Amino acid sequence: AQTVTQSQPEMSVQEAETVTLSCTYDTSESNYYLFWYKQPPSRQMILVIRQEAYKQQNATENRFSVNFQKAAKSFSLKISDSQLGDTAMYFCAFMRKSSGDKLTFGTGTRLAVRP
Amino acid sequence: NAGVTQTPKFQVLKTGQSMTLQCAQDMNHEYMSWYRQDPGMGLRLIHYSVGAGITDQGEVPNGYNVSRSTTEDFPLRLLSAAPSQTSVYFCASKTTAQNSPLHFGNGTRLTVT
């Protein structure tokens, strides 16, 4: 079974600064997908960024980028120029290519952006 | 475009009562699923469906039933609610394209007393 570990339950960052959220996973699969989801206080789950394991290039979406280290099974999220609206719970998620679309989530990191 | 719609948003039940959480999507997605979110545990998969007439169990299926009579709807039934089922429930859908993301509903907060 796959496991996803987010070792930072809470983090805080000053507005306009950069913060990195950590995620590690355990799998014996070689083909899979990784995701970061954001859950603001509204409770809505919003996809932030996704990475395909066979792609070596790190995914980037505006101020959000990942550092994907396949050998180390690490998938960290970097948020640049943090904004107050980035305050949320962030979940890392893993999906095997052969899993029938089932996602395994980490326990989440609560990020607070300070004004 | 409504996306994934869950009703109700909040519900309080007494132990032993039954109820159905509704989920509907208007994106013609083949795949639908139910997750529960508990503090410190992330989201865990309850049941999922890859198309009308097909359902399967996820990680924590006990105490829940599902059916998929149409592509649009995927209700989650609690036959006899227990305090351990107090949680926030999310319905999600996606296409079967492998890297397509899950689209989530806004969740139902359920309290069982």
Side-chain angles (χ1 to χ4, degrees), chain A residues 37 39 43 47 50 52 91 95 97 100-101 103 107, chain B residues 31 35 37 40 42 90 94 98-99 101-102 106-107:
Chain A
Y37 279 88
Q39 186 180 43
R43 203 169 69 195
L47 177 68
R50 57 182 145 173
E52 300 180 35
F91 291 98
M95 185 179 78
K97 202 171 184 180
D101 304 295
L103 265 70
T107 53
Chain B
Y31 179 85
Y35 286 84
Q37 182 180 14
F90 286 96
K94 66 187 293 291
Q98 286 183 333
N99 67 343
L102 273 177
N106 287 334

mmCIF file with all atom_site columns, all heavy atoms in Angstrom, chain A residues 37 39 43 47 50 52 91 95 97 100-101 103 107, chain B residues 31 35 37 40 42 90 94 98-99 101-102 106-107:
data_model
loop_
_atom_site.group_PDB
_atom_site.id
_atom_site.type_symbol
_atom_site.label_atom_id
_atom_site.label_alt_id
_atom_site.label_comp_id
_atom_site.label_asym_id
_atom_site.label_entity_id
_atom_site.label_seq_id
_atom_site.pdbx_PDB_ins_code
_atom_site.Cartn_x
_atom_site.Cartn_y
_atom_site.Cartn_z
_atom_site.occupancy
_atom_site.B_iso_or_equiv
_atom_site.pdbx_formal_charge
_atom_site.auth_seq_id
_atom_site.auth_comp_id
_atom_site.auth_asym_id
_atom_site.auth_atom_id
_atom_site.pdbx_PDB_model_num
ATOM 1   N N   . TYR A 1 37  ? -3.113  19.704 -3.208  1.00 0.00 ? 37  TYR A N   1
ATOM 2   C CA  . TYR A 1 37  ? -4.419  20.337 -3.105  1.00 0.00 ? 37  TYR A CA  1
ATOM 3   C C   . TYR A 1 37  ? -4.380  21.352 -1.974  1.00 0.00 ? 37  TYR A C   1
ATOM 4   O O   . TYR A 1 37  ? -3.736  21.155 -0.948  1.00 0.00 ? 37  TYR A O   1
ATOM 5   C CB  . TYR A 1 37  ? -5.514  19.305 -2.817  1.00 0.00 ? 37  TYR A CB  1
ATOM 6   C CG  . TYR A 1 37  ? -6.003  18.557 -4.024  1.00 0.00 ? 37  TYR A CG  1
ATOM 7   C CD1 . TYR A 1 37  ? -5.375  17.390 -4.446  1.00 0.00 ? 37  TYR A CD1 1
ATOM 8   C CD2 . TYR A 1 37  ? -7.106  19.011 -4.744  1.00 0.00 ? 37  TYR A CD2 1
ATOM 9   C CE1 . TYR A 1 37  ? -5.831  16.701 -5.561  1.00 0.00 ? 37  TYR A CE1 1
ATOM 10  C CE2 . TYR A 1 37  ? -7.571  18.324 -5.855  1.00 0.00 ? 37  TYR A CE2 1
ATOM 11  C CZ  . TYR A 1 37  ? -6.933  17.170 -6.255  1.00 0.00 ? 37  TYR A CZ  1
ATOM 12  O OH  . TYR A 1 37  ? -7.388  16.491 -7.357  1.00 0.00 ? 37  TYR A OH  1
ATOM 13  N N   . GLN A 1 39  ? -6.834  23.574 0.702   1.00 0.00 ? 39  GLN A N   1
ATOM 14  C CA  . GLN A 1 39  ? -8.159  23.656 1.314   1.00 0.00 ? 39  GLN A CA  1
ATOM 15  C C   . GLN A 1 39  ? -8.224  24.909 2.184   1.00 0.00 ? 39  GLN A C   1
ATOM 16  O O   . GLN A 1 39  ? -7.767  24.916 3.317   1.00 0.00 ? 39  GLN A O   1
ATOM 17  C CB  . GLN A 1 39  ? -8.467  22.414 2.158   1.00 0.00 ? 39  GLN A CB  1
ATOM 18  C CG  . GLN A 1 39  ? -9.888  22.395 2.683   1.00 0.00 ? 39  GLN A CG  1
ATOM 19  C CD  . GLN A 1 39  ? -10.191 21.161 3.510   1.00 0.00 ? 39  GLN A CD  1
ATOM 20  O OE1 . GLN A 1 39  ? -9.376  20.744 4.342   1.00 0.00 ? 39  GLN A OE1 1
ATOM 21  N NE2 . GLN A 1 39  ? -11.365 20.573 3.304   1.00 0.00 ? 39  GLN A NE2 1
ATOM 22  N N   . ARG A 1 43  ? -13.386 25.360 3.076   1.00 0.00 ? 43  ARG A N   1
ATOM 23  C CA  . ARG A 1 43  ? -13.487 23.891 3.038   1.00 0.00 ? 43  ARG A CA  1
ATOM 24  C C   . ARG A 1 43  ? -13.370 23.325 1.622   1.00 0.00 ? 43  ARG A C   1
ATOM 25  O O   . ARG A 1 43  ? -13.250 22.110 1.437   1.00 0.00 ? 43  ARG A O   1
ATOM 26  C CB  . ARG A 1 43  ? -14.797 23.430 3.694   1.00 0.00 ? 43  ARG A CB  1
ATOM 27  C CG  . ARG A 1 43  ? -14.783 22.002 4.204   1.00 0.00 ? 43  ARG A CG  1
ATOM 28  C CD  . ARG A 1 43  ? -16.006 21.738 5.059   1.00 0.00 ? 43  ARG A CD  1
ATOM 29  N NE  . ARG A 1 43  ? -17.233 21.728 4.305   1.00 0.00 ? 43  ARG A NE  1
ATOM 30  C CZ  . ARG A 1 43  ? -18.441 21.816 4.874   1.00 0.00 ? 43  ARG A CZ  1
ATOM 31  N NH1 . ARG A 1 43  ? -18.567 21.954 6.178   1.00 0.00 ? 43  ARG A NH1 1
ATOM 32  N NH2 . ARG A 1 43  ? -19.538 21.778 4.134   1.00 0.00 ? 43  ARG A NH2 1
ATOM 33  N N   . LEU A 1 47  ? -7.257  22.071 -6.602  1.00 0.00 ? 47  LEU A N   1
ATOM 34  C CA  . LEU A 1 47  ? -5.998  21.547 -7.128  1.00 0.00 ? 47  LEU A CA  1
ATOM 35  C C   . LEU A 1 47  ? -5.015  22.687 -7.341  1.00 0.00 ? 47  LEU A C   1
ATOM 36  O O   . LEU A 1 47  ? -5.332  23.676 -7.987  1.00 0.00 ? 47  LEU A O   1
ATOM 37  C CB  . LEU A 1 47  ? -6.234  20.817 -8.445  1.00 0.00 ? 47  LEU A CB  1
ATOM 38  C CG  . LEU A 1 47  ? -4.974  20.288 -9.131  1.00 0.00 ? 47  LEU A CG  1
ATOM 39  C CD1 . LEU A 1 47  ? -4.363  19.154 -8.300  1.00 0.00 ? 47  LEU A CD1 1
ATOM 40  C CD2 . LEU A 1 47  ? -5.290  19.806 -10.540 1.00 0.00 ? 47  LEU A CD2 1
ATOM 41  N N   . ARG A 1 50  ? 0.151   19.520 -10.268 1.00 0.00 ? 50  ARG A N   1
ATOM 42  C CA  . ARG A 1 50  ? 0.291   18.067 -10.414 1.00 0.00 ? 50  ARG A CA  1
ATOM 43  C C   . ARG A 1 50  ? 1.584   17.751 -11.152 1.00 0.00 ? 50  ARG A C   1
ATOM 44  O O   . ARG A 1 50  ? 2.089   18.552 -11.931 1.00 0.00 ? 50  ARG A O   1
ATOM 45  C CB  . ARG A 1 50  ? -0.897  17.475 -11.157 1.00 0.00 ? 50  ARG A CB  1
ATOM 46  C CG  . ARG A 1 50  ? -1.133  18.074 -12.515 1.00 0.00 ? 50  ARG A CG  1
ATOM 47  C CD  . ARG A 1 50  ? -2.354  17.464 -13.174 1.00 0.00 ? 50  ARG A CD  1
ATOM 48  N NE  . ARG A 1 50  ? -3.065  18.457 -13.969 1.00 0.00 ? 50  ARG A NE  1
ATOM 49  C CZ  . ARG A 1 50  ? -4.083  18.177 -14.758 1.00 0.00 ? 50  ARG A CZ  1
ATOM 50  N NH1 . ARG A 1 50  ? -4.523  16.961 -14.851 1.00 0.00 ? 50  ARG A NH1 1
ATOM 51  N NH2 . ARG A 1 50  ? -4.674  19.135 -15.447 1.00 0.00 ? 50  ARG A NH2 1
ATOM 52  N N   . GLU A 1 52  ? 3.683   14.375 -13.109 1.00 0.00 ? 52  GLU A N   1
ATOM 53  C CA  . GLU A 1 52  ? 3.702   12.996 -13.587 1.00 0.00 ? 52  GLU A CA  1
ATOM 54  C C   . GLU A 1 52  ? 5.086   12.422 -13.337 1.00 0.00 ? 52  GLU A C   1
ATOM 55  O O   . GLU A 1 52  ? 6.084   13.048 -13.669 1.00 0.00 ? 52  GLU A O   1
ATOM 56  C CB  . GLU A 1 52  ? 3.340   12.965 -15.075 1.00 0.00 ? 52  GLU A CB  1
ATOM 57  C CG  . GLU A 1 52  ? 1.961   13.547 -15.334 1.00 0.00 ? 52  GLU A CG  1
ATOM 58  C CD  . GLU A 1 52  ? 1.579   13.532 -16.796 1.00 0.00 ? 52  GLU A CD  1
ATOM 59  O OE1 . GLU A 1 52  ? 1.964   12.577 -17.480 1.00 0.00 ? 52  GLU A OE1 1
ATOM 60  O OE2 . GLU A 1 52  ? 0.901   14.461 -17.244 1.00 0.00 ? 52  GLU A OE2 1
ATOM 61  N N   . PHE A 1 91  ? -2.676  19.648 1.105   1.00 0.00 ? 91  PHE A N   1
ATOM 62  C CA  . PHE A 1 91  ? -2.586  18.194 1.100   1.00 0.00 ? 91  PHE A CA  1
ATOM 63  C C   . PHE A 1 91  ? -1.780  17.719 -0.099  1.00 0.00 ? 91  PHE A C   1
ATOM 64  O O   . PHE A 1 91  ? -2.018  18.153 -1.237  1.00 0.00 ? 91  PHE A O   1
ATOM 65  C CB  . PHE A 1 91  ? -3.978  17.566 1.023   1.00 0.00 ? 91  PHE A CB  1
ATOM 66  C CG  . PHE A 1 91  ? -4.807  17.748 2.264   1.00 0.00 ? 91  PHE A CG  1
ATOM 67  C CD1 . PHE A 1 91  ? -5.746  18.763 2.327   1.00 0.00 ? 91  PHE A CD1 1
ATOM 68  C CD2 . PHE A 1 91  ? -4.657  16.913 3.356   1.00 0.00 ? 91  PHE A CD2 1
ATOM 69  C CE1 . PHE A 1 91  ? -6.517  18.948 3.462   1.00 0.00 ? 91  PHE A CE1 1
ATOM 70  C CE2 . PHE A 1 91  ? -5.422  17.088 4.497   1.00 0.00 ? 91  PHE A CE2 1
ATOM 71  C CZ  . PHE A 1 91  ? -6.353  18.113 4.547   1.00 0.00 ? 91  PHE A CZ  1
ATOM 72  N N   . MET A 1 95  ? -1.255  9.052  -6.667  1.00 0.00 ? 95  MET A N   1
ATOM 73  C CA  . MET A 1 95  ? -2.133  8.156  -7.409  1.00 0.00 ? 95  MET A CA  1
ATOM 74  C C   . MET A 1 95  ? -1.302  7.247  -8.303  1.00 0.00 ? 95  MET A C   1
ATOM 75  O O   . MET A 1 95  ? -0.539  7.721  -9.149  1.00 0.00 ? 95  MET A O   1
ATOM 76  C CB  . MET A 1 95  ? -3.124  8.933  -8.265  1.00 0.00 ? 95  MET A CB  1
ATOM 77  C CG  . MET A 1 95  ? -4.136  8.033  -8.967  1.00 0.00 ? 95  MET A CG  1
ATOM 78  S SD  . MET A 1 95  ? -5.311  8.935  -9.960  1.00 0.00 ? 95  MET A SD  1
ATOM 79  C CE  . MET A 1 95  ? -4.330  9.308  -11.399 1.00 0.00 ? 95  MET A CE  1
ATOM 80  N N   . LYS A 1 97  ? -0.662  4.867  -11.399 1.00 0.00 ? 97  LYS A N   1
ATOM 81  C CA  . LYS A 1 97  ? -1.218  4.885  -12.744 1.00 0.00 ? 97  LYS A CA  1
ATOM 82  C C   . LYS A 1 97  ? -2.225  3.760  -12.919 1.00 0.00 ? 97  LYS A C   1
ATOM 83  O O   . LYS A 1 97  ? -3.180  3.860  -13.660 1.00 0.00 ? 97  LYS A O   1
ATOM 84  C CB  . LYS A 1 97  ? -0.086  4.753  -13.758 1.00 0.00 ? 97  LYS A CB  1
ATOM 85  C CG  . LYS A 1 97  ? -0.435  5.276  -15.134 1.00 0.00 ? 97  LYS A CG  1
ATOM 86  C CD  . LYS A 1 97  ? 0.797   5.305  -16.019 1.00 0.00 ? 97  LYS A CD  1
ATOM 87  C CE  . LYS A 1 97  ? 0.454   5.911  -17.363 1.00 0.00 ? 97  LYS A CE  1
ATOM 88  N NZ  . LYS A 1 97  ? 1.629   5.956  -18.261 1.00 0.00 ? 97  LYS A NZ  1
ATOM 89  N N   . GLY A 1 100 ? -6.878  2.778  -10.716 1.00 0.00 ? 100 GLY A N   1
ATOM 90  C CA  . GLY A 1 100 ? -8.289  3.070  -10.909 1.00 0.00 ? 100 GLY A CA  1
ATOM 91  C C   . GLY A 1 100 ? -8.670  4.419  -10.348 1.00 0.00 ? 100 GLY A C   1
ATOM 92  O O   . GLY A 1 100 ? -9.774  4.584  -9.840  1.00 0.00 ? 100 GLY A O   1
ATOM 93  N N   . ASP A 1 101 ? -7.786  5.359  -10.425 1.00 0.00 ? 101 ASP A N   1
ATOM 94  C CA  . ASP A 1 101 ? -8.059  6.750  -10.060 1.00 0.00 ? 101 ASP A CA  1
ATOM 95  C C   . ASP A 1 101 ? -8.173  6.990  -8.566  1.00 0.00 ? 101 ASP A C   1
ATOM 96  O O   . ASP A 1 101 ? -8.673  8.013  -8.147  1.00 0.00 ? 101 ASP A O   1
ATOM 97  C CB  . ASP A 1 101 ? -9.339  7.246  -10.758 1.00 0.00 ? 101 ASP A CB  1
ATOM 98  C CG  . ASP A 1 101 ? -9.265  7.085  -12.256 1.00 0.00 ? 101 ASP A CG  1
ATOM 99  O OD1 . ASP A 1 101 ? -8.424  7.740  -12.866 1.00 0.00 ? 101 ASP A OD1 1
ATOM 100 O OD2 . ASP A 1 101 ? -10.030 6.272  -12.795 1.00 0.00 ? 101 ASP A OD2 1
ATOM 101 N N   . LEU A 1 103 ? -6.909  8.117  -5.028  1.00 0.00 ? 103 LEU A N   1
ATOM 102 C CA  . LEU A 1 103 ? -5.852  8.950  -4.474  1.00 0.00 ? 103 LEU A CA  1
ATOM 103 C C   . LEU A 1 103 ? -5.603  8.598  -3.026  1.00 0.00 ? 103 LEU A C   1
ATOM 104 O O   . LEU A 1 103 ? -6.533  8.326  -2.272  1.00 0.00 ? 103 LEU A O   1
ATOM 105 C CB  . LEU A 1 103 ? -6.227  10.432 -4.560  1.00 0.00 ? 103 LEU A CB  1
ATOM 106 C CG  . LEU A 1 103 ? -5.714  11.203 -5.786  1.00 0.00 ? 103 LEU A CG  1
ATOM 107 C CD1 . LEU A 1 103 ? -6.422  10.743 -7.023  1.00 0.00 ? 103 LEU A CD1 1
ATOM 108 C CD2 . LEU A 1 103 ? -5.866  12.692 -5.565  1.00 0.00 ? 103 LEU A CD2 1
ATOM 109 N N   . THR A 1 107 ? -1.586  13.800 5.569   1.00 0.00 ? 107 THR A N   1
ATOM 110 C CA  . THR A 1 107 ? -2.400  14.340 6.658   1.00 0.00 ? 107 THR A CA  1
ATOM 111 C C   . THR A 1 107 ? -2.518  15.852 6.633   1.00 0.00 ? 107 THR A C   1
ATOM 112 O O   . THR A 1 107 ? -3.261  16.419 7.420   1.00 0.00 ? 107 THR A O   1
ATOM 113 C CB  . THR A 1 107 ? -1.830  13.909 8.011   1.00 0.00 ? 107 THR A CB  1
ATOM 114 O OG1 . THR A 1 107 ? -0.443  14.275 8.060   1.00 0.00 ? 107 THR A OG1 1
ATOM 115 C CG2 . THR A 1 107 ? -1.970  12.411 8.209   1.00 0.00 ? 107 THR A CG2 1
ATOM 116 N N   . TYR B 2 31  ? -15.819 8.734  -13.347 1.00 0.00 ? 31  TYR B N   1
ATOM 117 C CA  . TYR B 2 31  ? -15.357 8.329  -12.025 1.00 0.00 ? 31  TYR B CA  1
ATOM 118 C C   . TYR B 2 31  ? -15.935 9.247  -10.961 1.00 0.00 ? 31  TYR B C   1
ATOM 119 O O   . TYR B 2 31  ? -15.873 10.466 -11.082 1.00 0.00 ? 31  TYR B O   1
ATOM 120 C CB  . TYR B 2 31  ? -13.829 8.390  -11.983 1.00 0.00 ? 31  TYR B CB  1
ATOM 121 C CG  . TYR B 2 31  ? -13.221 8.026  -10.656 1.00 0.00 ? 31  TYR B CG  1
ATOM 122 C CD1 . TYR B 2 31  ? -12.967 6.704  -10.316 1.00 0.00 ? 31  TYR B CD1 1
ATOM 123 C CD2 . TYR B 2 31  ? -12.886 9.016  -9.733  1.00 0.00 ? 31  TYR B CD2 1
ATOM 124 C CE1 . TYR B 2 31  ? -12.396 6.372  -9.099  1.00 0.00 ? 31  TYR B CE1 1
ATOM 125 C CE2 . TYR B 2 31  ? -12.327 8.696  -8.512  1.00 0.00 ? 31  TYR B CE2 1
ATOM 126 C CZ  . TYR B 2 31  ? -12.078 7.378  -8.199  1.00 0.00 ? 31  TYR B CZ  1
ATOM 127 O OH  . TYR B 2 31  ? -11.521 7.051  -6.995  1.00 0.00 ? 31  TYR B OH  1
ATOM 128 N N   . TYR B 2 35  ? -14.954 10.589 0.009   1.00 0.00 ? 35  TYR B N   1
ATOM 129 C CA  . TYR B 2 35  ? -13.884 10.624 0.996   1.00 0.00 ? 35  TYR B CA  1
ATOM 130 C C   . TYR B 2 35  ? -14.452 11.167 2.294   1.00 0.00 ? 35  TYR B C   1
ATOM 131 O O   . TYR B 2 35  ? -15.396 11.948 2.309   1.00 0.00 ? 35  TYR B O   1
ATOM 132 C CB  . TYR B 2 35  ? -12.746 11.556 0.545   1.00 0.00 ? 35  TYR B CB  1
ATOM 133 C CG  . TYR B 2 35  ? -11.878 11.018 -0.566  1.00 0.00 ? 35  TYR B CG  1
ATOM 134 C CD1 . TYR B 2 35  ? -12.255 11.149 -1.899  1.00 0.00 ? 35  TYR B CD1 1
ATOM 135 C CD2 . TYR B 2 35  ? -10.672 10.388 -0.284  1.00 0.00 ? 35  TYR B CD2 1
ATOM 136 C CE1 . TYR B 2 35  ? -11.443 10.665 -2.916  1.00 0.00 ? 35  TYR B CE1 1
ATOM 137 C CE2 . TYR B 2 35  ? -9.858  9.899  -1.297  1.00 0.00 ? 35  TYR B CE2 1
ATOM 138 C CZ  . TYR B 2 35  ? -10.256 10.054 -2.607  1.00 0.00 ? 35  TYR B CZ  1
ATOM 139 O OH  . TYR B 2 35  ? -9.451  9.570  -3.619  1.00 0.00 ? 35  TYR B OH  1
ATOM 140 N N   . GLN B 2 37  ? -12.977 13.221 5.786   1.00 0.00 ? 37  GLN B N   1
ATOM 141 C CA  . GLN B 2 37  ? -11.836 13.983 6.284   1.00 0.00 ? 37  GLN B CA  1
ATOM 142 C C   . GLN B 2 37  ? -11.951 14.117 7.791   1.00 0.00 ? 37  GLN B C   1
ATOM 143 O O   . GLN B 2 37  ? -12.918 14.678 8.310   1.00 0.00 ? 37  GLN B O   1
ATOM 144 C CB  . GLN B 2 37  ? -11.779 15.380 5.658   1.00 0.00 ? 37  GLN B CB  1
ATOM 145 C CG  . GLN B 2 37  ? -10.582 16.190 6.122   1.00 0.00 ? 37  GLN B CG  1
ATOM 146 C CD  . GLN B 2 37  ? -10.531 17.565 5.511   1.00 0.00 ? 37  GLN B CD  1
ATOM 147 O OE1 . GLN B 2 37  ? -11.500 18.055 4.930   1.00 0.00 ? 37  GLN B OE1 1
ATOM 148 N NE2 . GLN B 2 37  ? -9.384  18.221 5.602   1.00 0.00 ? 37  GLN B NE2 1
ATOM 149 N N   . GLY B 2 40  ? -6.141  15.348 11.516  1.00 0.00 ? 40  GLY B N   1
ATOM 150 C CA  . GLY B 2 40  ? -4.907  14.585 11.657  1.00 0.00 ? 40  GLY B CA  1
ATOM 151 C C   . GLY B 2 40  ? -4.821  13.348 10.796  1.00 0.00 ? 40  GLY B C   1
ATOM 152 O O   . GLY B 2 40  ? -3.832  12.614 10.870  1.00 0.00 ? 40  GLY B O   1
ATOM 153 N N   . GLY B 2 42  ? -6.068  13.365 7.246   1.00 0.00 ? 42  GLY B N   1
ATOM 154 C CA  . GLY B 2 42  ? -6.214  13.640 5.823   1.00 0.00 ? 42  GLY B CA  1
ATOM 155 C C   . GLY B 2 42  ? -7.548  13.139 5.301   1.00 0.00 ? 42  GLY B C   1
ATOM 156 O O   . GLY B 2 42  ? -8.524  13.007 6.034   1.00 0.00 ? 42  GLY B O   1
ATOM 157 N N   . PHE B 2 90  ? -16.573 14.374 1.577   1.00 0.00 ? 90  PHE B N   1
ATOM 158 C CA  . PHE B 2 90  ? -16.385 14.991 0.276   1.00 0.00 ? 90  PHE B CA  1
ATOM 159 C C   . PHE B 2 90  ? -16.708 14.003 -0.829  1.00 0.00 ? 90  PHE B C   1
ATOM 160 O O   . PHE B 2 90  ? -16.251 12.861 -0.806  1.00 0.00 ? 90  PHE B O   1
ATOM 161 C CB  . PHE B 2 90  ? -14.937 15.460 0.087   1.00 0.00 ? 90  PHE B CB  1
ATOM 162 C CG  . PHE B 2 90  ? -14.595 16.691 0.867   1.00 0.00 ? 90  PHE B CG  1
ATOM 163 C CD1 . PHE B 2 90  ? -13.985 16.590 2.101   1.00 0.00 ? 90  PHE B CD1 1
ATOM 164 C CD2 . PHE B 2 90  ? -14.888 17.946 0.353   1.00 0.00 ? 90  PHE B CD2 1
ATOM 165 C CE1 . PHE B 2 90  ? -13.667 17.727 2.823   1.00 0.00 ? 90  PHE B CE1 1
ATOM 166 C CE2 . PHE B 2 90  ? -14.575 19.080 1.065   1.00 0.00 ? 90  PHE B CE2 1
ATOM 167 C CZ  . PHE B 2 90  ? -13.968 18.976 2.309   1.00 0.00 ? 90  PHE B CZ  1
ATOM 168 N N   . LYS B 2 94  ? -14.043 12.747 -11.632 1.00 0.00 ? 94  LYS B N   1
ATOM 169 C CA  . LYS B 2 94  ? -13.015 13.031 -12.631 1.00 0.00 ? 94  LYS B CA  1
ATOM 170 C C   . LYS B 2 94  ? -13.316 12.216 -13.866 1.00 0.00 ? 94  LYS B C   1
ATOM 171 O O   . LYS B 2 94  ? -14.094 11.268 -13.823 1.00 0.00 ? 94  LYS B O   1
ATOM 172 C CB  . LYS B 2 94  ? -11.621 12.707 -12.113 1.00 0.00 ? 94  LYS B CB  1
ATOM 173 C CG  . LYS B 2 94  ? -11.366 11.228 -11.846 1.00 0.00 ? 94  LYS B CG  1
ATOM 174 C CD  . LYS B 2 94  ? -10.017 10.967 -11.178 1.00 0.00 ? 94  LYS B CD  1
ATOM 175 C CE  . LYS B 2 94  ? -8.824  11.266 -12.022 1.00 0.00 ? 94  LYS B CE  1
ATOM 176 N NZ  . LYS B 2 94  ? -8.649  10.331 -13.150 1.00 0.00 ? 94  LYS B NZ  1
ATOM 177 N N   . GLN B 2 98  ? -5.932  9.466  -17.216 1.00 0.00 ? 98  GLN B N   1
ATOM 178 C CA  . GLN B 2 98  ? -5.184  9.105  -16.011 1.00 0.00 ? 98  GLN B CA  1
ATOM 179 C C   . GLN B 2 98  ? -4.646  10.280 -15.228 1.00 0.00 ? 98  GLN B C   1
ATOM 180 O O   . GLN B 2 98  ? -4.555  10.205 -14.011 1.00 0.00 ? 98  GLN B O   1
ATOM 181 C CB  . GLN B 2 98  ? -4.064  8.138  -16.385 1.00 0.00 ? 98  GLN B CB  1
ATOM 182 C CG  . GLN B 2 98  ? -4.588  6.755  -16.697 1.00 0.00 ? 98  GLN B CG  1
ATOM 183 C CD  . GLN B 2 98  ? -3.481  5.775  -16.986 1.00 0.00 ? 98  GLN B CD  1
ATOM 184 O OE1 . GLN B 2 98  ? -2.401  6.159  -17.440 1.00 0.00 ? 98  GLN B OE1 1
ATOM 185 N NE2 . GLN B 2 98  ? -3.724  4.511  -16.738 1.00 0.00 ? 98  GLN B NE2 1
ATOM 186 N N   . ASN B 2 99  ? -4.256  11.342 -15.868 1.00 0.00 ? 99  ASN B N   1
ATOM 187 C CA  . ASN B 2 99  ? -3.689  12.452 -15.103 1.00 0.00 ? 99  ASN B CA  1
ATOM 188 C C   . ASN B 2 99  ? -4.706  13.553 -14.854 1.00 0.00 ? 99  ASN B C   1
ATOM 189 O O   . ASN B 2 99  ? -4.336  14.644 -14.443 1.00 0.00 ? 99  ASN B O   1
ATOM 190 C CB  . ASN B 2 99  ? -2.455  13.011 -15.804 1.00 0.00 ? 99  ASN B CB  1
ATOM 191 C CG  . ASN B 2 99  ? -2.819  13.680 -17.116 1.00 0.00 ? 99  ASN B CG  1
ATOM 192 O OD1 . ASN B 2 99  ? -3.904  13.458 -17.647 1.00 0.00 ? 99  ASN B OD1 1
ATOM 193 N ND2 . ASN B 2 99  ? -1.924  14.495 -17.639 1.00 0.00 ? 99  ASN B ND2 1
ATOM 194 N N   . PRO B 2 101 ? -7.416  15.668 -12.882 1.00 0.00 ? 101 PRO B N   1
ATOM 195 C CA  . PRO B 2 101 ? -7.544  15.891 -11.434 1.00 0.00 ? 101 PRO B CA  1
ATOM 196 C C   . PRO B 2 101 ? -8.941  15.565 -10.936 1.00 0.00 ? 101 PRO B C   1
ATOM 197 O O   . PRO B 2 101 ? -9.915  15.552 -11.688 1.00 0.00 ? 101 PRO B O   1
ATOM 198 C CB  . PRO B 2 101 ? -7.263  17.385 -11.301 1.00 0.00 ? 101 PRO B CB  1
ATOM 199 C CG  . PRO B 2 101 ? -7.785  17.961 -12.584 1.00 0.00 ? 101 PRO B CG  1
ATOM 200 C CD  . PRO B 2 101 ? -7.484  16.931 -13.641 1.00 0.00 ? 101 PRO B CD  1
ATOM 201 N N   . LEU B 2 102 ? -9.028  15.333 -9.640  1.00 0.00 ? 102 LEU B N   1
ATOM 202 C CA  . LEU B 2 102 ? -10.320 15.198 -8.984  1.00 0.00 ? 102 LEU B CA  1
ATOM 203 C C   . LEU B 2 102 ? -10.950 16.582 -8.811  1.00 0.00 ? 102 LEU B C   1
ATOM 204 O O   . LEU B 2 102 ? -10.278 17.531 -8.448  1.00 0.00 ? 102 LEU B O   1
ATOM 205 C CB  . LEU B 2 102 ? -10.144 14.580 -7.602  1.00 0.00 ? 102 LEU B CB  1
ATOM 206 C CG  . LEU B 2 102 ? -10.118 13.066 -7.465  1.00 0.00 ? 102 LEU B CG  1
ATOM 207 C CD1 . LEU B 2 102 ? -9.869  12.682 -6.022  1.00 0.00 ? 102 LEU B CD1 1
ATOM 208 C CD2 . LEU B 2 102 ? -11.383 12.433 -7.976  1.00 0.00 ? 102 LEU B CD2 1
ATOM 209 N N   . ASN B 2 106 ? -18.210 20.723 -2.131  1.00 0.00 ? 106 ASN B N   1
ATOM 210 C CA  . ASN B 2 106 ? -17.866 21.591 -1.009  1.00 0.00 ? 106 ASN B CA  1
ATOM 211 C C   . ASN B 2 106 ? -17.978 20.916 0.345   1.00 0.00 ? 106 ASN B C   1
ATOM 212 O O   . ASN B 2 106 ? -17.764 21.558 1.370   1.00 0.00 ? 106 ASN B O   1
ATOM 213 C CB  . ASN B 2 106 ? -18.713 22.858 -1.033  1.00 0.00 ? 106 ASN B CB  1
ATOM 214 C CG  . ASN B 2 106 ? -18.279 23.786 -2.150  1.00 0.00 ? 106 ASN B CG  1
ATOM 215 O OD1 . ASN B 2 106 ? -17.128 23.763 -2.588  1.00 0.00 ? 106 ASN B OD1 1
ATOM 216 N ND2 . ASN B 2 106 ? -19.206 24.582 -2.638  1.00 0.00 ? 106 ASN B ND2 1
ATOM 217 N N   . GLY B 2 107 ? -18.343 19.654 0.350   1.00 0.00 ? 107 GLY B N   1
ATOM 218 C CA  . GLY B 2 107 ? -18.317 18.900 1.594   1.00 0.00 ? 107 GLY B CA  1
ATOM 219 C C   . GLY B 2 107 ? -19.608 18.965 2.385   1.00 0.00 ? 107 GLY B C   1
ATOM 220 O O   . GLY B 2 107 ? -20.391 19.917 2.277   1.00 0.00 ? 107 GLY B O   1
#
